[in-house]
Amino acid sequence: VRAFESLGLRSEGGRLLVLDQTQLPDREVWLDGGDPDAMVEHIRALRVRGAPLIGVAAAMSVGWFAEHGASEKDVRAAAARLRAARPTAVNLMAAIDRMLSAAAQGFDADVLVAEAAAIADEDVALCEGMAAYGGRLLQDGDGVLTHCNTGGLATAGVGTALGVVRRAAESGKRLHVYVDETRPLLQGARLTTWELERYGIPYTLITDSMAPIVMRAGRVQRVLVGADRIARNGDVANKVGTYAVAVAAHHHGIPFHPVAPWTTVDLGCRDGSEIPIEERQPDEVRGVKGSFGAVRWSPGASAVYNPAFDVTPAELVTALVLDRGIVTSGELRAGGLERLAAPAAAVRAG
Ligand code: MRU
C-alpha cells in the first residue's frame, strides 16, 4: 500500500494501520487492518468508522490483500465481505465498486494499490471542497451545533461538518461548537471533543436531549452534521439523533445543513425509505463500554430497539453542503441532486 497518513488511518512500511476509535479519548492504539477479514471486524466494531473513512479503509485493505499475493478470486470474495460490513454508508459500497471495476480491467495488484491511493487522495480533496463551500455559511462569533463525529477521524481528510468548522476557525472566525454526546456510542462525547481539543476550538459538550435548550437560548446559529447516505430527493440518513436535531432546528428557525462528499449521494435511492438502516446489538443501549470500562444499567434482557441511523426528511434540510456546491431545499425539490450529477451542471457557488 502506498504511504498515507490521516488522523485515523495510516499506511507505512507495507502495513495498513487503523486507529482504534473505541479506545479514544484515553488511549491511542493502532491496529493492523491490511487483512480484509481483520478490516471487516474493525469496521463492524466501529474501531474504524465514519462513512468516507470506512470506504477508504476498505479500498486500501483490498489493495493490501492483492499486493500480498491474494488471487483474483480471493480478492473479489474479500471485497464482497468488506462491502457488506456495514449497510448504511454508501461510501463503502462506492469505494469497493471502484476497486472491483479497477480489477476488471485486468487483475493487477499495482493497479489496485494505485486505485485505493486515488480514493484516499480524492477523499482529502472532497473534504477541502466541502470546507470551502460550508465556510461561507459561517460568521465570526457563530455557535455551531454538531452531532456524532464528522472530522478527521471520520474521513481521510479534514472532515465533513467538522472540517468546515476547523477550516473556518483556522481562517480566523471565532466559533463555538455545541457537541451532542451522541447516544448510544458517544462519538460526539469521545471523538469530536478529542478532535476539538487538538485543534484548540472552543466547545461545550451537551447530552443529545439538551440541544433544543441551547437552540432556544440563542446560542446556536447553525447546525452542521454529516451524512451516511443522501437519497435522490435530498432525504438524509445520518447517525441516530440527527432527525431530532433537525426537528428542533426547524422549530427554532435555525439553518440545518448536512455536509457530505459526492460519494455519500445515492441517486439509486429515490427517497429515504429506500436507505437500509443498520440495527446494532441491544447491549449498546442497555449500557455503555469504552476506554473507561463497561457498565450495564438496564435489566440484561431488556427489549431494545437500536437503529444506528435515522433519516431526516429533505423538507427539514435548509441546504446540503457538498464538495460540488450548496444545494438549497428549493433546489432539492426541483431535482437539484440529479442536475448536480450531470458533468456540465451549473453549480451554485453558495
Ligand atoms: O456509526 P458511525 O460512527 O460510523 O456513524 C458516523 C456518522 O453518522 C457520521 O455523521 C457520518 O458517517 C458522516 S461523517 C463524515
Side-chain angles (χ1 to χ4, degrees), residues 71-120:
S71 68
E72 176 170 7
K73 182 165 162 273
D74 287 349
V75 167
R76 287 186 173 278
R81 291 195 296 280
L82 282 160
R83 197 180 188 280
R86 292 188 78 188
T88 303
V90 75
N91 314 61
L92 176 60
M93 294 92 195
I96 292 293
D97 289 347
R98 252 181 87 166
M99 295 300 286
L100 289 170
S101 15
Q105 313 294 310
F107 185 76
D108 178 343
D110 290 344
V111 170
L112 290 177
V113 166
E115 189 70 358
I119 291 171

mmCIF file of all heavy atoms in Angstrom, residues 71-120:
data_model
loop_
_atom_site.group_PDB
_atom_site.id
_atom_site.type_symbol
_atom_site.label_atom_id
_atom_site.label_comp_id
_atom_site.label_asym_id
_atom_site.label_seq_id
_atom_site.Cartn_x
_atom_site.Cartn_y
_atom_site.Cartn_z
ATOM 1 N N SER A 71 -5.141 -14.197 -4.725
ATOM 2 C CA SER A 71 -5.608 -14.432 -6.101
ATOM 3 C C SER A 71 -6.782 -13.503 -6.406
ATOM 4 O O SER A 71 -7.413 -12.959 -5.495
ATOM 5 C CB SER A 71 -6.080 -15.884 -6.245
ATOM 6 O OG SER A 71 -7.257 -16.057 -5.467
ATOM 7 N N GLU A 72 -7.083 -13.375 -7.691
ATOM 8 C CA GLU A 72 -8.217 -12.526 -8.073
ATOM 9 C C GLU A 72 -9.505 -13.015 -7.399
ATOM 10 O O GLU A 72 -10.291 -12.220 -6.894
ATOM 11 C CB GLU A 72 -8.377 -12.517 -9.595
ATOM 12 C CG GLU A 72 -9.596 -11.716 -10.006
ATOM 13 C CD GLU A 72 -9.688 -11.447 -11.493
ATOM 14 O OE1 GLU A 72 -8.871 -11.990 -12.261
ATOM 15 O OE2 GLU A 72 -10.594 -10.673 -11.877
ATOM 16 N N LYS A 73 -9.672 -14.349 -7.368
ATOM 17 C CA LYS A 73 -10.891 -14.911 -6.768
ATOM 18 C C LYS A 73 -10.978 -14.518 -5.285
ATOM 19 O O LYS A 73 -12.027 -14.081 -4.794
ATOM 20 C CB LYS A 73 -10.841 -16.439 -6.918
ATOM 21 C CG LYS A 73 -12.038 -17.171 -6.400
ATOM 22 C CD LYS A 73 -12.049 -18.605 -6.940
ATOM 23 C CE LYS A 73 -12.965 -19.486 -6.119
ATOM 24 N NZ LYS A 73 -12.321 -20.086 -4.946
ATOM 25 N N ASP A 74 -9.843 -14.645 -4.567
ATOM 26 C CA ASP A 74 -9.846 -14.314 -3.137
ATOM 27 C C ASP A 74 -10.037 -12.817 -2.908
ATOM 28 O O ASP A 74 -10.714 -12.398 -1.959
ATOM 29 C CB ASP A 74 -8.536 -14.774 -2.478
ATOM 30 C CG ASP A 74 -8.501 -16.292 -2.329
ATOM 31 O OD1 ASP A 74 -9.556 -16.937 -2.543
ATOM 32 O OD2 ASP A 74 -7.417 -16.844 -2.031
ATOM 33 N N VAL A 75 -9.453 -12.010 -3.785
ATOM 34 C CA VAL A 75 -9.614 -10.557 -3.635
ATOM 35 C C VAL A 75 -11.086 -10.179 -3.843
ATOM 36 O O VAL A 75 -11.658 -9.391 -3.086
ATOM 37 C CB VAL A 75 -8.696 -9.792 -4.629
ATOM 38 C CG1 VAL A 75 -9.083 -8.320 -4.707
ATOM 39 C CG2 VAL A 75 -7.236 -9.932 -4.195
ATOM 40 N N ARG A 76 -11.698 -10.772 -4.859
ATOM 41 C CA ARG A 76 -13.112 -10.446 -5.123
ATOM 42 C C ARG A 76 -14.007 -10.889 -3.956
ATOM 43 O O ARG A 76 -14.924 -10.181 -3.559
ATOM 44 C CB ARG A 76 -13.585 -11.113 -6.421
ATOM 45 C CG ARG A 76 -13.018 -10.436 -7.647
ATOM 46 C CD ARG A 76 -13.582 -10.990 -8.952
ATOM 47 N NE ARG A 76 -13.095 -10.175 -10.045
ATOM 48 C CZ ARG A 76 -13.622 -9.017 -10.412
ATOM 49 N NH1 ARG A 76 -14.703 -8.552 -9.810
ATOM 50 N NH2 ARG A 76 -13.090 -8.306 -11.389
ATOM 51 N N ALA A 77 -13.719 -12.066 -3.389
ATOM 52 C CA ALA A 77 -14.527 -12.552 -2.260
ATOM 53 C C ALA A 77 -14.341 -11.644 -1.046
ATOM 54 O O ALA A 77 -15.302 -11.296 -0.339
ATOM 55 C CB ALA A 77 -14.143 -13.988 -1.926
ATOM 56 N N ALA A 78 -13.095 -11.210 -0.809
ATOM 57 C CA ALA A 78 -12.826 -10.316 0.320
ATOM 58 C C ALA A 78 -13.519 -8.967 0.110
ATOM 59 O O ALA A 78 -14.077 -8.383 1.047
ATOM 60 C CB ALA A 78 -11.320 -10.122 0.480
ATOM 61 N N ALA A 79 -13.487 -8.496 -1.139
ATOM 62 C CA ALA A 79 -14.145 -7.216 -1.444
ATOM 63 C C ALA A 79 -15.640 -7.316 -1.138
ATOM 64 O O ALA A 79 -16.240 -6.380 -0.589
ATOM 65 C CB ALA A 79 -13.909 -6.838 -2.901
ATOM 66 N N ALA A 80 -16.232 -8.463 -1.452
ATOM 67 C CA ALA A 80 -17.668 -8.637 -1.182
ATOM 68 C C ALA A 80 -17.935 -8.619 0.322
ATOM 69 O O ALA A 80 -18.929 -8.035 0.782
ATOM 70 C CB ALA A 80 -18.155 -9.947 -1.802
ATOM 71 N N ARG A 81 -17.043 -9.223 1.102
ATOM 72 C CA ARG A 81 -17.245 -9.220 2.570
ATOM 73 C C ARG A 81 -17.088 -7.806 3.129
ATOM 74 O O ARG A 81 -17.846 -7.383 4.003
ATOM 75 C CB ARG A 81 -16.259 -10.180 3.252
ATOM 76 C CG ARG A 81 -16.538 -11.647 2.961
ATOM 77 C CD ARG A 81 -15.797 -12.575 3.927
ATOM 78 N NE ARG A 81 -14.350 -12.510 3.824
ATOM 79 C CZ ARG A 81 -13.610 -13.121 2.897
ATOM 80 N NH1 ARG A 81 -14.196 -13.853 1.958
ATOM 81 N NH2 ARG A 81 -12.293 -13.020 2.885
ATOM 82 N N LEU A 82 -16.102 -7.081 2.620
ATOM 83 C CA LEU A 82 -15.908 -5.694 3.077
ATOM 84 C C LEU A 82 -17.124 -4.838 2.709
ATOM 85 O O LEU A 82 -17.607 -4.026 3.508
ATOM 86 C CB LEU A 82 -14.648 -5.100 2.431
ATOM 87 C CG LEU A 82 -13.331 -5.555 3.055
ATOM 88 C CD1 LEU A 82 -12.177 -5.343 2.085
ATOM 89 C CD2 LEU A 82 -13.074 -4.796 4.365
ATOM 90 N N ARG A 83 -17.621 -5.027 1.501
ATOM 91 C CA ARG A 83 -18.747 -4.219 1.006
ATOM 92 C C ARG A 83 -19.978 -4.372 1.900
ATOM 93 O O ARG A 83 -20.786 -3.463 2.039
ATOM 94 C CB ARG A 83 -19.067 -4.675 -0.422
ATOM 95 C CG ARG A 83 -19.913 -3.709 -1.222
ATOM 96 C CD ARG A 83 -20.160 -4.276 -2.618
ATOM 97 N NE ARG A 83 -20.801 -3.292 -3.482
ATOM 98 C CZ ARG A 83 -22.085 -3.018 -3.465
ATOM 99 N NH1 ARG A 83 -22.880 -3.646 -2.626
ATOM 100 N NH2 ARG A 83 -22.597 -2.101 -4.283
ATOM 101 N N ALA A 84 -20.104 -5.584 2.508
ATOM 102 C CA ALA A 84 -21.279 -5.887 3.326
ATOM 103 C C ALA A 84 -21.039 -5.634 4.823
ATOM 104 O O ALA A 84 -21.895 -5.936 5.648
ATOM 105 C CB ALA A 84 -21.681 -7.344 3.103
ATOM 106 N N ALA A 85 -19.876 -5.084 5.184
ATOM 107 C CA ALA A 85 -19.542 -4.959 6.616
ATOM 108 C C ALA A 85 -20.524 -4.064 7.356
ATOM 109 O O ALA A 85 -20.877 -4.332 8.511
ATOM 110 C CB ALA A 85 -18.110 -4.446 6.780
ATOM 111 N N ARG A 86 -20.954 -2.965 6.725
ATOM 112 C CA ARG A 86 -21.999 -2.113 7.307
ATOM 113 C C ARG A 86 -22.924 -1.695 6.160
ATOM 114 O O ARG A 86 -22.444 -1.429 5.054
ATOM 115 C CB ARG A 86 -21.395 -0.871 7.995
ATOM 116 C CG ARG A 86 -20.585 -1.210 9.243
ATOM 117 C CD ARG A 86 -20.172 0.047 9.995
ATOM 118 N NE ARG A 86 -21.274 0.599 10.771
ATOM 119 C CZ ARG A 86 -21.220 1.789 11.397
ATOM 120 N NH1 ARG A 86 -20.136 2.532 11.303
ATOM 121 N NH2 ARG A 86 -22.247 2.221 12.099
ATOM 122 N N PRO A 87 -24.228 -1.579 6.431
ATOM 123 C CA PRO A 87 -25.154 -1.405 5.305
ATOM 124 C C PRO A 87 -25.554 0.028 4.929
ATOM 125 O O PRO A 87 -26.058 0.244 3.830
ATOM 126 C CB PRO A 87 -26.409 -2.144 5.801
ATOM 127 C CG PRO A 87 -26.376 -1.977 7.285
ATOM 128 C CD PRO A 87 -24.917 -1.926 7.676
ATOM 129 N N THR A 88 -25.343 1.008 5.808
ATOM 130 C CA THR A 88 -25.978 2.306 5.540
ATOM 131 C C THR A 88 -25.088 3.256 4.745
ATOM 132 O O THR A 88 -25.548 3.895 3.794
ATOM 133 C CB THR A 88 -26.446 2.956 6.869
ATOM 134 O OG1 THR A 88 -27.338 2.051 7.528
ATOM 135 C CG2 THR A 88 -27.177 4.266 6.604
ATOM 136 N N ALA A 89 -23.821 3.378 5.134
ATOM 137 C CA ALA A 89 -22.934 4.342 4.465
ATOM 138 C C ALA A 89 -22.627 3.870 3.047
ATOM 139 O O ALA A 89 -21.943 2.866 2.844
ATOM 140 C CB ALA A 89 -21.632 4.503 5.252
ATOM 141 N N VAL A 90 -23.118 4.607 2.072
ATOM 142 C CA VAL A 90 -22.968 4.168 0.672
ATOM 143 C C VAL A 90 -21.534 4.376 0.175
ATOM 144 O O VAL A 90 -21.119 3.767 -0.809
ATOM 145 C CB VAL A 90 -24.007 4.890 -0.218
ATOM 146 C CG1 VAL A 90 -23.628 6.347 -0.463
ATOM 147 C CG2 VAL A 90 -24.198 4.141 -1.523
ATOM 148 N N ASN A 91 -20.754 5.182 0.903
ATOM 149 C CA ASN A 91 -19.347 5.400 0.529
ATOM 150 C C ASN A 91 -18.588 4.077 0.493
ATOM 151 O O ASN A 91 -17.682 3.892 -0.313
ATOM 152 C CB ASN A 91 -18.654 6.321 1.540
ATOM 153 C CG ASN A 91 -19.480 7.532 1.874
ATOM 154 O OD1 ASN A 91 -20.582 7.385 2.377
ATOM 155 N ND2 ASN A 91 -18.960 8.709 1.600
ATOM 156 N N LEU A 92 -18.950 3.164 1.403
ATOM 157 C CA LEU A 92 -18.283 1.863 1.462
ATOM 158 C C LEU A 92 -18.533 1.093 0.167
ATOM 159 O O LEU A 92 -17.604 0.566 -0.451
ATOM 160 C CB LEU A 92 -18.796 1.076 2.675
ATOM 161 C CG LEU A 92 -18.302 -0.347 2.859
ATOM 162 C CD1 LEU A 92 -16.787 -0.396 3.013
ATOM 163 C CD2 LEU A 92 -18.960 -0.993 4.089
ATOM 164 N N MET A 93 -19.794 1.041 -0.244
ATOM 165 C CA MET A 93 -20.128 0.315 -1.484
ATOM 166 C C MET A 93 -19.489 1.000 -2.694
ATOM 167 O O MET A 93 -18.969 0.347 -3.587
ATOM 168 C CB MET A 93 -21.644 0.260 -1.681
ATOM 169 C CG MET A 93 -22.369 -0.563 -0.641
ATOM 170 S SD MET A 93 -22.891 0.492 0.728
ATOM 171 C CE MET A 93 -23.288 -0.667 1.998
ATOM 172 N N ALA A 94 -19.517 2.344 -2.691
ATOM 173 C CA ALA A 94 -18.963 3.084 -3.837
ATOM 174 C C ALA A 94 -17.458 2.810 -3.968
ATOM 175 O O ALA A 94 -16.947 2.590 -5.075
ATOM 176 C CB ALA A 94 -19.229 4.580 -3.676
ATOM 177 N N ALA A 95 -16.747 2.797 -2.827
ATOM 178 C CA ALA A 95 -15.292 2.586 -2.874
ATOM 179 C C ALA A 95 -14.971 1.158 -3.333
ATOM 180 O O ALA A 95 -14.081 0.946 -4.166
ATOM 181 C CB ALA A 95 -14.680 2.860 -1.500
ATOM 182 N N ILE A 96 -15.697 0.185 -2.805
ATOM 183 C CA ILE A 96 -15.435 -1.201 -3.204
ATOM 184 C C ILE A 96 -15.792 -1.417 -4.680
ATOM 185 O O ILE A 96 -15.070 -2.099 -5.422
ATOM 186 C CB ILE A 96 -16.204 -2.187 -2.286
ATOM 187 C CG1 ILE A 96 -15.618 -2.148 -0.867
ATOM 188 C CG2 ILE A 96 -16.176 -3.599 -2.855
ATOM 189 C CD1 ILE A 96 -14.194 -2.677 -0.748
ATOM 190 N N ASP A 97 -16.889 -0.808 -5.126
ATOM 191 C CA ASP A 97 -17.261 -0.971 -6.539
ATOM 192 C C ASP A 97 -16.179 -0.394 -7.451
ATOM 193 O O ASP A 97 -15.890 -0.931 -8.515
ATOM 194 C CB ASP A 97 -18.622 -0.329 -6.813
ATOM 195 C CG ASP A 97 -19.746 -1.132 -6.169
ATOM 196 O OD1 ASP A 97 -19.489 -2.285 -5.748
ATOM 197 O OD2 ASP A 97 -20.871 -0.609 -6.063
ATOM 198 N N ARG A 98 -15.572 0.700 -7.016
ATOM 199 C CA ARG A 98 -14.459 1.262 -7.797
ATOM 200 C C ARG A 98 -13.293 0.295 -7.854
ATOM 201 O O ARG A 98 -12.660 0.115 -8.889
ATOM 202 C CB ARG A 98 -13.985 2.559 -7.142
ATOM 203 C CG ARG A 98 -14.378 3.775 -7.938
ATOM 204 C CD ARG A 98 -13.882 5.018 -7.286
ATOM 205 N NE ARG A 98 -12.519 5.340 -7.711
ATOM 206 C CZ ARG A 98 -11.938 6.513 -7.499
ATOM 207 N NH1 ARG A 98 -12.620 7.465 -6.887
ATOM 208 N NH2 ARG A 98 -10.706 6.749 -7.900
ATOM 209 N N MET A 99 -12.993 -0.339 -6.721
ATOM 210 C CA MET A 99 -11.889 -1.315 -6.694
ATOM 211 C C MET A 99 -12.209 -2.500 -7.611
ATOM 212 O O MET A 99 -11.338 -2.996 -8.318
ATOM 213 C CB MET A 99 -11.650 -1.809 -5.261
ATOM 214 C CG MET A 99 -11.171 -0.740 -4.304
ATOM 215 S SD MET A 99 -9.617 0.028 -4.780
ATOM 216 C CE MET A 99 -8.440 -1.255 -4.399
ATOM 217 N N LEU A 100 -13.471 -2.940 -7.606
ATOM 218 C CA LEU A 100 -13.847 -4.085 -8.444
ATOM 219 C C LEU A 100 -13.776 -3.711 -9.918
ATOM 220 O O LEU A 100 -13.363 -4.524 -10.754
ATOM 221 C CB LEU A 100 -15.249 -4.587 -8.065
ATOM 222 C CG LEU A 100 -15.323 -5.290 -6.694
ATOM 223 C CD1 LEU A 100 -16.764 -5.543 -6.287
ATOM 224 C CD2 LEU A 100 -14.533 -6.603 -6.704
ATOM 225 N N SER A 101 -14.169 -2.475 -10.256
ATOM 226 C CA SER A 101 -14.027 -2.134 -11.683
ATOM 227 C C SER A 101 -12.572 -1.991 -12.069
ATOM 228 O O SER A 101 -12.203 -2.326 -13.198
ATOM 229 C CB SER A 101 -14.824 -0.912 -12.164
ATOM 230 O OG SER A 101 -15.275 -0.144 -11.157
ATOM 231 N N ALA A 102 -11.720 -1.534 -11.131
ATOM 232 C CA ALA A 102 -10.282 -1.489 -11.455
ATOM 233 C C ALA A 102 -9.761 -2.919 -11.675
ATOM 234 O O ALA A 102 -8.960 -3.165 -12.585
ATOM 235 C CB ALA A 102 -9.510 -0.799 -10.343
ATOM 236 N N ALA A 103 -10.238 -3.866 -10.859
ATOM 237 C CA ALA A 103 -9.806 -5.266 -11.006
ATOM 238 C C ALA A 103 -10.279 -5.845 -12.335
ATOM 239 O O ALA A 103 -9.617 -6.712 -12.918
ATOM 240 C CB ALA A 103 -10.322 -6.101 -9.841
ATOM 241 N N ALA A 104 -11.413 -5.356 -12.805
ATOM 242 C CA ALA A 104 -11.980 -5.903 -14.046
ATOM 243 C C ALA A 104 -11.188 -5.478 -15.274
ATOM 244 O O ALA A 104 -11.316 -6.078 -16.337
ATOM 245 C CB ALA A 104 -13.444 -5.469 -14.180
ATOM 246 N N GLN A 105 -10.341 -4.461 -15.145
ATOM 247 C CA GLN A 105 -9.517 -4.002 -16.289
ATOM 248 C C GLN A 105 -8.389 -4.977 -16.600
ATOM 249 O O GLN A 105 -7.589 -4.734 -17.495
ATOM 250 C CB GLN A 105 -8.864 -2.635 -16.009
ATOM 251 C CG GLN A 105 -9.760 -1.565 -15.436
ATOM 252 C CD GLN A 105 -10.841 -1.138 -16.409
ATOM 253 O OE1 GLN A 105 -10.547 -0.842 -17.553
ATOM 254 N NE2 GLN A 105 -12.080 -1.148 -15.951
ATOM 255 N N GLY A 106 -8.276 -6.032 -15.837
ATOM 256 C CA GLY A 106 -7.110 -6.935 -15.937
ATOM 257 C C GLY A 106 -6.487 -6.927 -14.551
ATOM 258 O O GLY A 106 -5.996 -5.889 -14.121
ATOM 259 N N PHE A 107 -6.537 -8.088 -13.881
ATOM 260 C CA PHE A 107 -6.183 -8.108 -12.457
ATOM 261 C C PHE A 107 -4.697 -7.813 -12.262
ATOM 262 O O PHE A 107 -3.829 -8.538 -12.768
ATOM 263 C CB PHE A 107 -6.552 -9.478 -11.877
ATOM 264 C CG PHE A 107 -6.337 -9.565 -10.408
ATOM 265 C CD1 PHE A 107 -7.221 -8.957 -9.528
ATOM 266 C CD2 PHE A 107 -5.236 -10.240 -9.894
ATOM 267 C CE1 PHE A 107 -7.018 -9.020 -8.163
ATOM 268 C CE2 PHE A 107 -5.028 -10.307 -8.526
ATOM 269 C CZ PHE A 107 -5.915 -9.698 -7.658
ATOM 270 N N ASP A 108 -4.406 -6.737 -11.509
ATOM 271 C CA ASP A 108 -3.021 -6.298 -11.322
ATOM 272 C C ASP A 108 -2.937 -5.602 -9.959
ATOM 273 O O ASP A 108 -3.623 -4.595 -9.728
ATOM 274 C CB ASP A 108 -2.660 -5.339 -12.470
ATOM 275 C CG ASP A 108 -1.247 -4.777 -12.354
ATOM 276 O OD1 ASP A 108 -0.649 -4.844 -11.260
ATOM 277 O OD2 ASP A 108 -0.749 -4.261 -13.372
ATOM 278 N N ALA A 109 -2.103 -6.152 -9.060
ATOM 279 C CA ALA A 109 -2.023 -5.602 -7.703
ATOM 280 C C ALA A 109 -1.617 -4.125 -7.721
ATOM 281 O O ALA A 109 -2.154 -3.313 -6.956
ATOM 282 C CB ALA A 109 -1.036 -6.417 -6.869
ATOM 283 N N ASP A 110 -0.701 -3.760 -8.617
ATOM 284 C CA ASP A 110 -0.253 -2.363 -8.670
ATOM 285 C C ASP A 110 -1.414 -1.430 -8.996
ATOM 286 O O ASP A 110 -1.515 -0.319 -8.459
ATOM 287 C CB ASP A 110 0.851 -2.173 -9.728
ATOM 288 C CG ASP A 110 2.148 -2.839 -9.279
ATOM 289 O OD1 ASP A 110 2.264 -3.158 -8.074
ATOM 290 O OD2 ASP A 110 3.024 -3.057 -10.134
ATOM 291 N N VAL A 111 -2.275 -1.893 -9.897
ATOM 292 C CA VAL A 111 -3.437 -1.068 -10.280
ATOM 293 C C VAL A 111 -4.362 -0.898 -9.084
ATOM 294 O O VAL A 111 -4.872 0.199 -8.819
ATOM 295 C CB VAL A 111 -4.184 -1.722 -11.477
ATOM 296 C CG1 VAL A 111 -5.514 -1.032 -11.741
ATOM 297 C CG2 VAL A 111 -3.299 -1.704 -12.719
ATOM 298 N N LEU A 112 -4.555 -1.967 -8.326
ATOM 299 C CA LEU A 112 -5.455 -1.893 -7.166
ATOM 300 C C LEU A 112 -4.879 -0.993 -6.071
ATOM 301 O O LEU A 112 -5.605 -0.220 -5.439
ATOM 302 C CB LEU A 112 -5.748 -3.294 -6.623
ATOM 303 C CG LEU A 112 -6.620 -4.143 -7.553
ATOM 304 C CD1 LEU A 112 -6.801 -5.544 -6.997
ATOM 305 C CD2 LEU A 112 -7.980 -3.492 -7.780
ATOM 306 N N VAL A 113 -3.582 -1.096 -5.865
ATOM 307 C CA VAL A 113 -2.931 -0.230 -4.866
ATOM 308 C C VAL A 113 -3.080 1.235 -5.288
ATOM 309 O O VAL A 113 -3.404 2.107 -4.471
ATOM 310 C CB VAL A 113 -1.439 -0.625 -4.710
ATOM 311 C CG1 VAL A 113 -0.666 0.439 -3.951
ATOM 312 C CG2 VAL A 113 -1.335 -1.976 -4.001
ATOM 313 N N ALA A 114 -2.878 1.492 -6.583
ATOM 314 C CA ALA A 114 -2.989 2.878 -7.082
ATOM 315 C C ALA A 114 -4.424 3.377 -6.969
ATOM 316 O O ALA A 114 -4.664 4.546 -6.629
ATOM 317 C CB ALA A 114 -2.508 2.943 -8.531
ATOM 318 N N GLU A 115 -5.385 2.495 -7.231
ATOM 319 C CA GLU A 115 -6.795 2.916 -7.155
ATOM 320 C C GLU A 115 -7.166 3.266 -5.705
ATOM 321 O O GLU A 115 -7.843 4.265 -5.452
ATOM 322 C CB GLU A 115 -7.700 1.804 -7.701
ATOM 323 C CG GLU A 115 -9.159 2.206 -7.873
ATOM 324 C CD GLU A 115 -9.388 3.209 -9.017
ATOM 325 O OE1 GLU A 115 -8.408 3.629 -9.672
ATOM 326 O OE2 GLU A 115 -10.548 3.596 -9.216
ATOM 327 N N ALA A 116 -6.716 2.441 -4.765
ATOM 328 C CA ALA A 116 -7.008 2.726 -3.350
ATOM 329 C C ALA A 116 -6.372 4.056 -2.941
ATOM 330 O O ALA A 116 -6.987 4.861 -2.231
ATOM 331 C CB ALA A 116 -6.490 1.590 -2.465
ATOM 332 N N ALA A 117 -5.153 4.302 -3.400
ATOM 333 C CA ALA A 117 -4.487 5.572 -3.069
ATOM 334 C C ALA A 117 -5.258 6.740 -3.676
ATOM 335 O O ALA A 117 -5.406 7.802 -3.037
ATOM 336 C CB ALA A 117 -3.050 5.548 -3.580
ATOM 337 N N ALA A 118 -5.776 6.541 -4.893
ATOM 338 C CA ALA A 118 -6.550 7.614 -5.544
ATOM 339 C C ALA A 118 -7.827 7.893 -4.760
ATOM 340 O O ALA A 118 -8.223 9.060 -4.580
ATOM 341 C CB ALA A 118 -6.881 7.219 -6.984
ATOM 342 N N ILE A 119 -8.481 6.842 -4.267
ATOM 343 C CA ILE A 119 -9.716 7.027 -3.488
ATOM 344 C C ILE A 119 -9.400 7.833 -2.220
ATOM 345 O O ILE A 119 -10.144 8.756 -1.845
ATOM 346 C CB ILE A 119 -10.351 5.651 -3.155
ATOM 347 C CG1 ILE A 119 -10.901 5.006 -4.434
ATOM 348 C CG2 ILE A 119 -11.453 5.786 -2.102
ATOM 349 C CD1 ILE A 119 -11.361 3.562 -4.281
ATOM 350 N N ALA A 120 -8.285 7.512 -1.574
ATOM 351 C CA ALA A 120 -7.897 8.256 -0.361
ATOM 352 C C ALA A 120 -7.589 9.714 -0.687
ATOM 353 O O ALA A 120 -8.076 10.638 -0.012
ATOM 354 C CB ALA A 120 -6.682 7.582 0.285
#
